[in-house]
């Protein structure tokens, strides 16, 4: 599966397959946003927006329900952590994640 950020021709219909591909590519950690910081689910280390970059992101829409939308971020931290963060997209998005991500640098990956 060949995936590129913001590439509308890329087949990105299965989030599980995308996460598996990212894990193979080294994005094995899982993150969550908690109290204004990104926290590693593996070692509980936390990061401020200035400490991370979004290497890529993918948007998904539910097959049976357009309200079932999600965004998957592939994240790299300043100390070498690489992992993913998932958020709902649209009206069901998490306000804490949305606020946090506003201050994060997004690198568009072009392959």
């Amino acid at each position: 599966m060949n995936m590129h950020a913001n590439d509308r021709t890329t087949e990105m219909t299965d989030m599980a397959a995308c996460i598996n591909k990212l894990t193979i590519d080294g994005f094995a950690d899982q993150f969550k946003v908690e109290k204004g910081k990104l926290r590693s689910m593996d070692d509980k280390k936390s990061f401020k927006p200035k400490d991370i970059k979004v290497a890529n992101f993918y948007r998904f829409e539910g097959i049976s329900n357009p309200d079932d939308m999600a965004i998957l971020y592939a994240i790299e931290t300043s100390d070498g952590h690489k992992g993913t963060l998932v958020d709902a997209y649209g009206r069901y998005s998490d306000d804490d994640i949305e606020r946090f991500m506003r201050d994060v640098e997004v690198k568009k990956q072009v392959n």
Side-chain angles (χ1 to χ4, degrees):
M1 177 187 314
N2 190 11
M3 298 176 289
H4 305 280
N6 301 323
D7 181 353
R8 297 207 183 270
T9 63
T10 301
E11 193 64 35
M12 299 184 295
T13 56
D14 185 350
M15 187 184 313
C18 189
I19 290 172
N20 287 339
K21 170 72 169 104
L22 287 168
T23 301
I24 290 167
D25 290 344
F27 291 86
D29 205 343
Q30 293 179 351
F31 296 111
K32 67 179 179 178
V33 173
E34 192 175 78
K35 298 180 183 175
K37 294 183 179 177
L38 185 76
R39 183 173 305 277
S40 165
M41 303 279 287
D42 290 343
D43 66 7
K44 307 299 183 212
K45 186 167 182 178
S46 61
F47 305 91
K48 295 178 183 176
K50 68 181 178 103
D51 298 325
I52 70 169
K53 290 182 179 153
V54 173
N56 222 331
F57 62 93
Y58 309 89
R59 291 186 183 140
F60 300 90
E61 189 171 299
I63 294 170
S64 62
N65 185 351
D67 285 339
D68 235 1
M69 298 186 297
I71 187 163
L72 169 66
Y73 298 100
I75 293 175
E76 298 173 341
T77 67
S78 57
D79 71 350
H81 279 74
K82 289 171 69 173
T84 57
L85 173 67
V86 178
D87 188 16
Y89 190 74
R91 72 176 161 199
Y92 297 112
S93 68
D94 183 307
D95 290 338
D96 292 335
I97 294 174
E98 187 177 328
R99 274 191 297 276
F100 181 84
M101 294 306 290
R102 282 186 204 141
D103 296 327
V104 174
E105 180 183 343
V106 177
K107 301 187 313 187
K108 181 177 179 185
Q109 193 164 28
V110 179
N111 296 341

